[in-house]
Amino acid sequence: MEKKEVLTAVDKYERYHIWYGGKEEERKSNYADMVNKFYDLVTIFYEWKGETLQNSLKRHEHFIALELGLKPGQKVLDIGCGIGGPLREISRFSYTSITGLNNSEYQISRAKADFMNMPFPDNSFDAAYAIEATCHAPDVVACYKEICRVLKPGQCFAAYEWCMTDAFDPNNKEHQRIKVVPIFVEVVWSVTLVPFFQFDIKFLICRKKIELGNGLPNIRLTRECLDALKKTGFEVVWERDLALDSPIPWYLPIDTSHFSLRNFHLTGIGRFFNRNMLVVLEKIGIAPKGSQRVHVFLDKGAEGLVAGGKKGIFTPSYFFLARKLLSTTK
């Protein structure tokens, strides 16, 4: 994306979300454009450094390969492959041939396609997986049905899904503030400390921080994923929220109450510094206009993720392994 295009993309992305007056139906009907703009804007913010994180990512990727029982020479589909990191690692680990599918032109310039409408014949692949990608689908049943179509009978689909858990109570006001309460009022004071550096104090009731900060049309429950699998020609081999087995909270690196020199940029102080540094870089023309606003909606997403994690109502690690039925009337 050219620097001059960033501000327009930020404006269009924000308008899809209820925080800025958008509607859920608009997000669903324009999901491809909404998700593309999200990844166009935030991919650079997602670049992580550090051996510990890389080792953790590799463990998750090897886990998927092992659960799928991948064998050398098999044809595998990576649904929503991003910039291809997991694809390369899993291919090296399993000696398989992996096709990456992604509808974000910024993240991948070849094999560009929409996982709601795949350009592959029926029964093309020996296995398929999705890592935090199908949560972007506007219709989970249609998405899983399309994955089932391109899989060979008897073969498996594994995925990590972002979901609300069974602990989510739509009648609980505290839970609603994380996911479903609409905005009623927003009052902002901007305080300038030194030239270019300012911070905003906001009092507001916010809706759907997780969706806004993570490019999601809607967040579904874990049981909705299971129901969708069963409706679309899959049998569920096993499923579990793997976040429940984590020795430390999954949200710890993005919790502003937790200070870490290793992840300083994710702490409250680090985010304050980064946000205002982007203001400076925009002012002097190094960063494209709109960069600081991208940082803001990523922060909003992080706030929602941490709040949902602490309450146990949201998980980024709902895992399932499902097998396509040998015969189906779906």
Side-chain angles (χ1 to χ4, degrees):
M1 180 181 291
E2 298 293 328
K3 285 175 61 175
K4 63 184 180 182
E5 298 173 337
V6 171
L7 185 60
T8 299
V10 172
D11 284 332
K12 290 182 178 178
Y13 176 75
E14 288 177 341
R15 286 200 293 270
Y16 280 126
H17 291 276
I18 291 174
W19 184 286
Y20 298 94
K23 305 291 184 183
E24 181 175 325
E25 288 306 311
E26 292 176 5
R27 293 198 301 279
K28 287 185 175 181
S29 62
N30 296 285
Y31 75 95
D33 182 62
M34 187 268 293
V35 172
N36 276 335
K37 282 187 170 54
F38 174 74
Y39 280 112
D40 288 349
L41 293 166
V42 309
T43 295
I44 193 169
F45 287 86
Y46 278 174
E47 291 185 352
W48 290 67
K49 306 295 181 183
E51 184 179 0
T52 299
L53 177 63
Q54 295 303 319
N55 286 343
S56 175
L57 293 174
K58 287 183 179 182
R59 284 195 295 273
H60 281 280
E61 291 152 5
H62 295 175
F63 173 75
I64 283 181
L66 293 169
E67 286 298 316
L68 285 170
L70 298 184
K71 298 178 178 61
Q74 286 186 321
K75 290 178 60 180
V76 182
L77 179 62
D78 182 326
I79 301 153
C81 63
I83 57 176
L87 182 155
R88 292 189 295 271
E89 181 62 32
I90 293 173
S91 180
R92 285 192 296 262
F93 180 75
S94 60
Y95 295 94
T96 52
S97 173
I98 303 181
T99 299
L101 186 73
N102 197 354
N103 69 356
S104 174
E105 188 172 2
Y106 176 68
Q107 290 194 331
I108 186 169
S109 58
R110 293 183 296 274
K112 179 175 180 283
D114 184 350
F115 54 57
M116 300 296 291
N117 185 23
M118 299 186 196
F120 307 120
D122 295 356
N123 308 323
S124 296
F125 293 94
D126 299 299
Y129 65 85
I131 302 176
E132 302 174 6
T134 47
C135 55
H136 295 297
D139 182 336
V140 67
V141 172
C143 177
Y144 291 171
K145 185 176 182 179
E146 185 70 351
I147 294 167
C148 186
R149 180 185 68 79
V150 301
L151 264 181
K152 295 177 182 178
Q155 302 306 306
C156 289
F157 166 46
Y160 281 105
E161 284 277 13
W162 283 29
C163 292
M164 304 306 290
T165 70
D166 288 338
F168 174 73
D169 179 1
N171 298 314
N172 183 304
K173 291 183 178 179
E174 193 169 6
H175 293 187
Q176 289 177 338
R177 280 194 293 271
I178 297 171
K179 187 180 187 291
V180 297
V181 172
I183 295 175
F184 294 112
V185 65
E186 177 177 297
V187 181
V188 182
W189 287 274
S190 291
V191 181
T192 301
L193 299 179
V194 295
F196 306 128
F197 282 77
Q198 69 177 35
F199 65 92
D200 294 338
I201 303 173
K202 293 189 179 183
F203 289 90
L204 52 85
I205 302 173
C206 86
R207 176 184 170 117
K208 302 198 174 188
K209 289 183 179 180
I210 295 176
E211 290 176 1
L212 168 68
N214 297 282
L216 305 179
N218 193 19
I219 310 172
R220 56 192 64 99
L221 295 165
T222 55
R223 59 177 175 269
E224 291 179 302
C225 293
L226 292 180
D227 289 343
L229 288 167
K230 294 171 184 176
K231 288 177 181 177
T232 53
F234 285 106
E235 60 174 345
V236 179
V237 178
W238 73 277
E239 51 82 27
R240 180 170 174 77
D241 178 4
L242 298 184
L244 298 175
D245 300 323
S246 177
I248 60 172
W250 60 264
Y251 52 81
L252 194 65
I254 56 173
D255 185 355
T256 55
S257 65
H258 174 72
F259 184 81
S260 167
L261 289 176
R262 185 177 186 87
N263 294 316
F264 176 75
H265 62 294
L266 297 174
T267 66
I269 298 173
R271 289 182 191 176
F272 175 82
F273 176 82
N274 289 339
R275 182 170 62 249
N276 287 289
M277 181 56 68
L278 284 172
V279 173
V280 174
L281 294 176
E282 283 189 39
K283 292 282 187 181
I284 62 179
I286 295 177
K289 292 186 181 302
S291 297
Q292 190 263 352
R293 285 163 59 186
V294 175
H295 191 278
V296 168
F297 67 65
L298 285 175
D299 270 357
K300 295 299 179 188
E303 290 173 10
L305 293 175
V306 172
K310 287 184 174 180
K311 292 295 178 184
I313 63 173
F314 170 79
T315 176
S317 301
Y318 179 63
F319 179 85
F320 61 75
L321 180 68
R323 181 182 293 112
K324 179 177 178 177
L325 297 173
L326 292 174
S327 62
T328 178
T329 58
K330 301 292 182 185

